[in-house]
Amino acid sequence: MLLSTVLAGCAHRPAEPPHTVAVAIRDTPPAELTRCPVAPEGFPTDASATISEPVRAAAIRLATAYRALADQLARLIAWTAPATPCSPHDQAR
């Protein structure tokens, strides 16, 4: 009986729900940040070379990472500035 009286004072009180905070973004990014990335030229097609397997694998990793970053940047630009004609698939030309 005494224990139930003491524990009632220690009952968990639900916390107030967190308040939602929304911040309006008024600034637009500078023009140079909303320009579509330009894809660099690839390796020449009229030349040949012998590349070791580790160097070839590194070149493939770098090219794959560059392509992923260019695609991500193009999507971000299109989301930030929808009027900008920036498609990730246009960069392959």
Side-chain angles (χ1 to χ4, degrees):
M1 186 71 139
L2 178 64
L3 187 59
S4 64
T5 306
V6 173
L7 290 178
C10 297
H12 176 69
R13 294 183 181 95
E16 290 184 32
H19 298 285
T20 304
V21 178
V23 178
I25 299 174
R26 294 183 205 123
D27 296 333
T28 56
E32 75 249 12
L33 294 179
T34 56
R35 267 189 232 124
C36 297
V38 177
E41 290 185 31
F43 292 108
T45 56
D46 60 347
S48 64
T50 303
I51 301 174
S52 66
E53 184 56 35
V55 174
R56 181 179 181 277
I60 290 171
R61 284 193 309 272
L62 288 170
T64 304
Y66 174 81
R67 181 62 184 189
L69 287 173
D71 287 348
Q72 182 180 15
L73 179 59
R75 289 192 311 272
L76 180 61
I77 290 170
W79 181 73
T80 305
T84 306
C86 191
S87 169
H89 303 291
D90 292 339
Q91 305 306 312
R93 292 182 213 170

